[in-house]
Every structure is written in structure tokens, then in C-alpha cells.
Amino acid sequence: MQACRKLTVREYIRASKSENTLRGYQSDWRAFCAWCEARQLCPVPASPETVAAFIAECASTLKVGSIQRRLNAITEAHKAVGLDSPTHHPMVTNTMKGIRRTNGTAPTQKTATLIGDIRAMVDATDAGLIGIRDRALILLGFAGAFRRSELVGLDAADGAFGKDGLTVTLRRSKTDQHGAGRKIGIPYGSNPGTCPVRNLQSWIEQADVTGGPLFRSINRHGKVQAGGLSGIDVARVVKKLADRAGLDAAKYAGHSLRSGHATSAAIAGASERSIMNQTGHRSVQMVRRYIRDGSLFRENSGGKLGL
């Protein structure tokens, strides 16, 4: 009985973090252990001097965010065996501050897909089922401001069609690991060719999706598969269509749909509140960054100078 209780506790602790986070921690912890082994240093318990030297060396090849994730992995590994983490020592925190000041913390953002880009990408889709799926995928992702993980996590039962449009029940997301869920409205578009609701209806009907994953892979024979798409598949679709539309595919990815919604909505004059309702952002600062990007020229004092 005691062994069962211990196993249950471990499972609950594991469930407290997403699978992606756990995989990242495991990879980062292996990197730290290998680094320590090569220098005959002890990873557990690690000394502050060891951790500071490790992140200082990482700073020459890794971004600040990746280094922070490695620190998080070291922290979790020490906590797992009941030890205080050396990552909180002033030597480590000051080293990290120096790395941030030297290397900067500005993230590299993929380019947002604006409405003109979306129209061009829709025009560049394939004929047949692949094209029907890809149109539905990018239009729903753009209109709903979905993360790629949210898009591929949708089941057929998560969408309800009504007279005003589509209601999507998002059962779990990056910022909702507890599964409280929320509903997102997708209105009908004025143009049938780019209407996310009509294009999704077409995909469901043509692919005969009656249950299970909403967006699915299609084999080389044109047969719809039972398995759903992955987040990487969404990025590939966006890059493929961006390239065909004459855009620089390297600058676009799955997140371009989500950031494109926020930016395009800001350009159109949507309020912060309405954008946050759709994106699910908890931080107004993040949304305001999109709004600033969308307002660079719409509300630019330089245009008032008479040049």
C-alpha cells in the first residue's frame, strides 16, 4: 500500500508540469551532468561555483532563455532529492544578471501574418483535401488567435456551429494547464473564400471528420488518417504557404497566425480588451507589444510633420 501511495505522488508531481517542459528539463539536466562529468565535478549537490561556471560557458552558445531553462532544470533536480538549489546563490544570480546585460533578453519573434498575407496564402493552397485542410487550418488559427498546440489539440466535438459563427471550446492551453477551459467565438467572414467558419465546415464534410482530432494528416494517396497533426506540422503548413505566396518562409511559423491576429486587430482599431478576450493573454504588456507593432504607422507622429 505504501508503494502505491509513493507512485501516486510521483505521478501527480509529474503532472504538475507539461510534457514539453519535462522533456526540456530532462535534456537540460543531461547537458549539465555531461558538463560536470567532463570536468570531474559533482552535479548533485552542485556548488554555486560549478553552476556559475556552467552558465558562463553556456552564454557563448545559448540564448538567455535557454540558459534560464537550464537553471530551472538544475533547481528541479535538487528539489527532487530534497536539497536546496545552488541556483539561488548570489554567485549564480549575479552571473545570470551579467549574462542578461551582456547578451540581452529580447526574443526573436517570427513575423506576424497580416490579413493580406493570409489572403495570399489561401490563394496558394493545393487543390483537393490537402488544400481544404490547410485553408481551414490557417484561417481558424488566424481568426481564433490560437497557439499551434491549441490548434492541433482540438477535437471535432470542441466546435459548435451556430447562426453567428463557430464556438470553439478550448479545453486546455499553455496558460490553462488545469483544464478550466474557455470558449472562443469565430464569426462568419464577409468573404466566403477566407471565411474561417465556412472553410472549417468544408474540411469536416470533405474529410468526414465525425470524432477525434479535428485536423488530421493526409497520406500520399490522399487518404485522411486517424491521427492528428502535430505542432511542427502547423509550422510546416504556414512556412509552405508563405513561401508559395512570395513571402520569406524563414520569418514565419505557427505562432505567426496568433501574432498576426493581434497585430491585424490592433491595426483595425480593436480594443486591448477584445484582443485579450480572443488571444487569452493574461499579460496586457504582451498584448500592448503587438498593438505597438500594429500602430507603428497608423498612429505615427512622423506622418504629421508635413515632410
Side-chain angles (χ1 to χ4, degrees), residues 266 284-297:
V284 71
Q285 286 77 17
M286 178 63 73
V287 171
R288 282 177 178 169
R289 191 183 74 194
Y290 289 133
I291 291 174
R292 284 198 301 271
D293 290 346
S295 301
L296 283 176
F297 295 98

Side-chain angles (χ1 to χ4, degrees), residues 10-18 22 76 177-178:
R10 284 201 300 270
E11 288 175 343
Y12 278 128
I13 291 174
R14 183 176 180 85
S16 70
K17 292 180 173 59
S18 71
L22 291 172
E76 291 297 323
Q177 292 297 323
H178 300 297

